Amino acid sequence: MDRPRQRMVNDQLIARGIHDGKVLAAMASVPRHLFVDSALASRAYHDCALPIGCGQTISQPYMVARMTELLELKETDRVLEIGTGCGYQTAVLSRICRRVYSIERIEALHNRARQNLRAARHANVMLKCGDGLLGWEEYAPYDAIIVTAGGFASDAWLQQLKPGGLLLLPEGEGGNHCLVRRRKLGRGWSEEYFDACTFVPLLEGVNHL
């Protein structure tokens, strides 16, 4: 799968303006085909989102790279991810920063992500099945928070960011989202808007089915 993965990096990422060397290296090294069903493995490096069960999807490679690049991560950073899904975005983040704390509300996906990340040998990741809207206060504050479902920011996330930290999420409703990046300042926030996009909805609570 090395050749399709490198072609993905060249044709879908570099060609569309992803330039951060750390992000490109992570995308080139994480075996995306291990994070999808075996029946979809042949499409793992295609330019599209794919179903991962439970009504959820693994994001298109470009969107994973774009969101990762917008976080401006350093190797010493600690990142909170809201929405583990199958663990692919988690794996990409873990190749760049010191530690990733990731929360998934759907227990079946949480268990699958744990298996996927173990198979891909990502050791600097901590996973939790819980309500992502509450964040993960135990390990706060974080250098960055990334949200992989569309909705609106939770006060808990903003409180759990370090001063100067970044919160990135697809903001909006009804499938009409826009990537929004907020930086926590001494007083208040700065705010930047980026790509229009479509994500599964951000939901509260925990699903143990």
Side-chain angles (χ1 to χ4, degrees):
M1 285 289 185
D2 288 352
R3 192 171 297 173
R5 192 154 63 242
Q6 191 56 55
R7 192 160 55 240
M8 173 195 77
V9 170
N10 293 338
D11 298 346
Q12 299 176 39
L13 308 185
I14 296 174
R16 293 186 193 172
I18 302 296
H19 299 305
D20 187 317
K22 298 189 299 293
V23 174
L24 294 173
M27 296 292 291
S29 65
V30 175
R32 184 177 167 91
H33 60 281
L34 297 183
F35 291 84
V36 301
D37 288 336
S38 57
L40 297 173
S42 63
R43 299 173 57 196
Y45 300 101
H46 289 190
D47 183 23
C48 61
L50 293 171
I52 57 173
C54 304
Q56 307 298 300
T57 60
I58 179 175
S59 293
Q60 141 195 52
Y62 170 78
M63 187 54 64
V64 173
R66 175 66 165 153
M67 293 181 75
T68 305
E69 186 172 65
L70 287 173
L71 288 178
E72 300 177 349
L73 294 175
K74 303 184 293 295
E75 64 180 15
T76 55
D77 284 347
R78 297 163 65 253
V79 178
L80 174 63
E81 178 187 33
I82 308 299
T84 317
C86 64
Y88 178 68
Q89 173 79 78
T90 319
V92 171
L93 294 169
S94 76
R95 293 287 175 96
I96 298 172
C97 65
R98 178 183 173 188
R99 187 170 289 273
V100 182
Y101 303 84
S102 187
I103 305 174
E104 173 56 55
R105 65 177 294 273
I106 301 174
E107 188 174 25
L109 287 182
H110 163 76
N111 292 333
R112 178 176 173 181
R114 186 178 298 281
Q115 294 173 353
N116 290 342
L117 290 161
R118 186 178 294 129
R121 298 184 179 180
H122 291 270
N124 59 332
V125 171
M126 290 189 67
L127 302 182
K128 175 182 179 180
C129 182
D131 186 342
L133 287 166
L134 303 177
W136 199 343
E137 188 174 8
E138 182 180 357
Y139 296 103
Y142 303 97
D143 298 286
I145 299 176
I146 180 173
V147 185
T148 61
F152 297 94
S154 160
D155 289 341
W157 304 337
L158 304 176
Q159 293 166 4
Q160 291 172 21
L161 265 183
K162 287 182 179 179
L166 292 175
L167 167 64
L168 180 70
L169 79 155
E171 190 168 84
E173 56 189 348
N176 297 312
H177 304 122
C178 176
L179 289 183
V180 179
R181 183 172 70 183
R182 294 185 175 90
R183 187 182 298 273
K184 188 173 185 177
L185 307 175
R187 291 186 177 181
W189 310 86
S190 66
E191 195 168 75
E192 299 172 275
Y193 293 83
F194 298 95
D195 313 47
C197 52
T198 299
F199 277 76
V200 296
L202 178 69
L203 300 174
E204 65 179 348
V206 180
N207 184 342
H208 291 292
L209 298 179

